[in-house]
Amino acid sequence: ETSEDDSTKEDDNSVLSIQSNNKDSKEDDNETTPPPPSKKANIIEVSEMSSTSVMEGIEQIAINITIQILTKRGFKLDVPSRASSNQIYDATKDRIVLGDKRGSRTFLNVKESRKAAITTRVLQLLHTVLLKKIHITKRDLFYTDVKLFVDQSDSDGVLDDVATMIGCTRSNLHVVASDKGLVVGRIQFREDGDYIDCTKMGVGGKAIPPYIDKIEDITSDAEFVLLVEKEAAYMRLAEDRFYHRYPCIVITAKGQPDVATRMFLSRLTSELQIPVLCLVDADPYGLKILSVYMSGSKNMSYDSASLTTPDIKWLGLRPSDLDKYDLPEQCRLDMTENDIKTGKELLKEDFIAKNPEWTKELEIMVKTKKKAEIQALSSFGFQYITEEYLPRK
């Protein structure tokens, strides 16, 4: 069963995969060649739109389809290409963006008729959802027409296509993933009119809602956001009420970040203007997760402006911490050949190369061939991370 959250395989999400996959790749649709690009390549980026504007965009596509059919030409959909070859890392923006290549889906073409049918069906369903002023999950959407969609990945992919066709964010389509991220600490806001105080939400904190557009009136006296990779570390911080001793907001996406958590973090830093400190495992994949928060992912490159948070500080767990804090040998794990390969490739990444300290840390990891998880700090005591490690950091 396809998961409702937006996390995918790590190799598909990082800037690393963009640079290695920017060669010719197989396209889902017939890609049309754009005009010769100027010195500064054109990109496709979406923006926030009202429900009325999104419905008007869907209706305009329906009118275009109708006109084509009435002239007995069948119909063809113009769709921005989201293929790997059209994913670009923009150094000036410091994030992944979508290039301006476009493709077409022709209903009268046997190879493309099913994809065209799925697209029009999704457009119809989205228009109904927007008209009713409700939100549904991606799983709900899939089950409305299982015989046509067959696999949820087909309907999920078309959702992103529709967002680029209309020019809106995916959240504007009112289709969301299930709750995944958590937040606790010094932040208050209204969610669909209800007042939420994240210092009074119990030990587990508050689930980050998939519809960020319903969050309003954000207030906080926090001095920083503490972004945590693992839920176990988050629960330790929440139970110890770490945010009372050090005024902060603690957030986790329980591993690979989902869209709602990334959007929530981006909005917090934009409105509150406070720094973000990140706590991830001392391994290559911890850094790749960090890169998704900072530079974006391949799947959502068209909406990277609202999903990325630049200049996140890597607080720990750093490779140099293994010796600095005398981590026991049994807590240091041997890196696999794939780990070492990934580490060496990360050294070529822009977001690593521009930071000499991060480069030095990664070189230590590759040289020693050792990695460690955040939970390894528990070897010094269950509350060592909140009482010793983080205060020193």
Side-chain angles (χ1 to χ4, degrees):
E1 182 176 299
T2 306
S3 172
E4 286 185 358
D5 65 58
D6 299 280
S7 53
T8 55
K9 292 182 180 178
E10 287 146 342
D11 287 344
D12 292 334
N13 261 335
S14 67
V15 181
L16 178 64
S17 64
I18 300 303
Q19 294 175 338
S20 62
N21 287 330
N22 261 345
K23 299 175 183 179
D24 291 335
S25 60
K26 186 177 179 181
E27 304 286 344
D28 286 335
D29 309 309
N30 288 337
E31 189 175 290
T32 55
T33 306
S38 58
K39 289 184 180 180
K40 184 178 180 180
N42 293 324
I43 60 173
I44 294 174
E45 288 194 315
V46 299
S47 59
E48 287 287 334
M49 293 174 62
S50 66
S51 295
T52 301
S53 297
V54 175
M55 283 193 288
E56 288 174 352
I58 293 174
E59 289 161 6
Q60 187 57 56
I61 293 172
I63 290 170
N64 292 339
I65 290 173
T66 305
I67 291 171
Q68 292 179 67
I69 292 173
L70 290 174
T71 55
K72 300 181 180 180
R73 291 182 288 142
F75 71 87
K76 180 171 69 174
L77 296 167
D78 180 53
V79 186
S81 172
R82 294 189 302 107
S84 297
S85 58
N86 201 34
Q87 311 285 340
I88 304 165
Y89 176 74
D90 189 323
T92 58
K93 296 179 182 292
D94 193 22
R95 54 185 167 84
I96 301 169
V97 296
L98 188 66
D100 62 352
K101 293 180 181 178
R102 307 185 74 86
S104 63
R105 287 176 194 166
T106 307
F107 185 68
L108 294 182
N109 184 316
V110 176
K111 293 181 180 179
E112 301 169 25
S113 59
R114 180 173 174 272
K115 197 72 174 281
I118 290 175
T119 305
T120 53
R121 178 65 168 141
V122 168
L123 284 165
Q124 178 194 21
L125 293 169
L126 292 176
H127 191 273
T128 301
V129 168
L130 291 162
L131 202 59
K132 290 179 178 290
K133 298 180 180 180
I134 59 173
H135 288 76
I136 62 170
T137 66
K138 294 192 291 182
R139 198 67 177 164
D140 288 332
L141 184 73
F142 168 67
Y143 273 113
T144 56
D145 203 331
V146 177
K147 286 187 177 180
L148 174 63
F149 299 144
V150 180
D151 190 278
Q152 189 180 328
S153 61
D154 289 336
S155 54
D156 286 356
V158 167
L159 269 178
D160 293 319
D161 292 334
V162 169
T164 61
M165 291 166 69
I166 296 171
C168 66
T169 65
R170 202 181 68 187
S171 60
N172 292 152
L173 299 175
H174 284 205
V175 180
V176 299
S178 56
D179 293 342
K180 184 169 183 271
L182 298 169
V183 58
V184 71
R186 309 282 276 263
I187 181 173
Q188 301 80 33
F189 54 83
R190 290 195 177 277
E191 181 187 340
D192 200 20
D194 296 329
Y195 181 73
I196 306 293
D197 184 345
C198 291
T199 62
K200 300 176 182 178
M201 296 298 295
V203 176
K206 168 81 172 70
I208 296 174
Y211 24 81
I212 305 300
D213 56 314
K214 291 197 175 186
I215 293 179
E216 299 174 331
D217 304 328
I218 298 174
T219 59
S220 174
D221 63 351
E223 296 177 2
F224 61 92
V225 174
L226 184 55
L227 183 62
V228 185
E229 176 188 350
K230 298 287 186 64
E231 184 180 11
Y234 167 88
M235 293 303 294
R236 177 79 276 128
L237 290 162
E239 187 176 28
D240 289 356
R241 311 287 180 173
F242 182 79
Y243 49 85
H244 283 324
R245 282 178 288 156
Y246 300 89
C248 66
I249 302 165
V250 186
I251 292 175
T252 184
K254 306 176 189 176
Q256 195 70 20
D258 59 305
V259 168
T261 303
R262 288 161 58 193
M263 188 175 290
F264 184 69
L265 178 66
S266 178
R267 184 167 169 191
L268 284 194
T269 54
S270 174
E271 293 191 21
L272 301 178
Q273 294 294 303
I274 55 177
V276 181
L277 311 179
C278 191
L279 187 64
V280 296
D281 289 339
D283 63 22
Y285 301 105
L287 279 177
K288 289 178 77 173
I289 285 173
L290 181 53
S291 80
V292 174
Y293 280 113
M294 292 178 65
S295 304
S297 65
K298 228 169 83 172
N299 290 345
M300 301 292 292
S301 59
Y302 64 88
D303 194 15
S304 61
S306 65
L307 294 174
T308 52
T309 305
D311 196 30
I312 295 177
K313 312 298 182 185
W314 181 19
L315 195 64
L317 184 66
R318 294 192 175 205
S320 61
D321 289 343
L322 275 62
D323 288 335
K324 185 177 179 180
Y325 291 84
D326 296 320
L327 203 68
E329 197 61 38
Q330 65 265 27
C331 295
R332 306 184 189 201
L333 307 175
D334 293 326
M335 291 176 69
T336 65
E337 288 299 318
N338 191 52
D339 288 337
I340 296 169
K341 179 185 176 184
T342 302
K344 289 179 178 179
E345 290 174 337
L346 276 169
L347 283 168
K348 302 172 186 177
E349 293 284 347
D350 290 312
F351 86 103
I352 294 286
K354 71 180 182 182
N355 193 318
E357 282 191 22
W358 290 21
T359 300
K360 185 178 178 181
E361 292 287 348
L362 198 51
E363 286 173 344
I364 292 173
M365 188 191 299
V366 172
K367 183 179 179 181
T368 60
K369 299 181 181 179
K370 293 289 183 178
K371 61 183 180 179
E373 296 183 359
I374 302 169
Q375 283 70 41
L377 295 169
S378 296
S379 62
F380 298 118
F382 293 123
Q383 293 179 298
Y384 180 82
I385 188 172
T386 57
E387 295 181 352
E388 296 289 339
Y389 181 75
L390 286 176
R392 286 173 66 179
K393 280 288 184 177

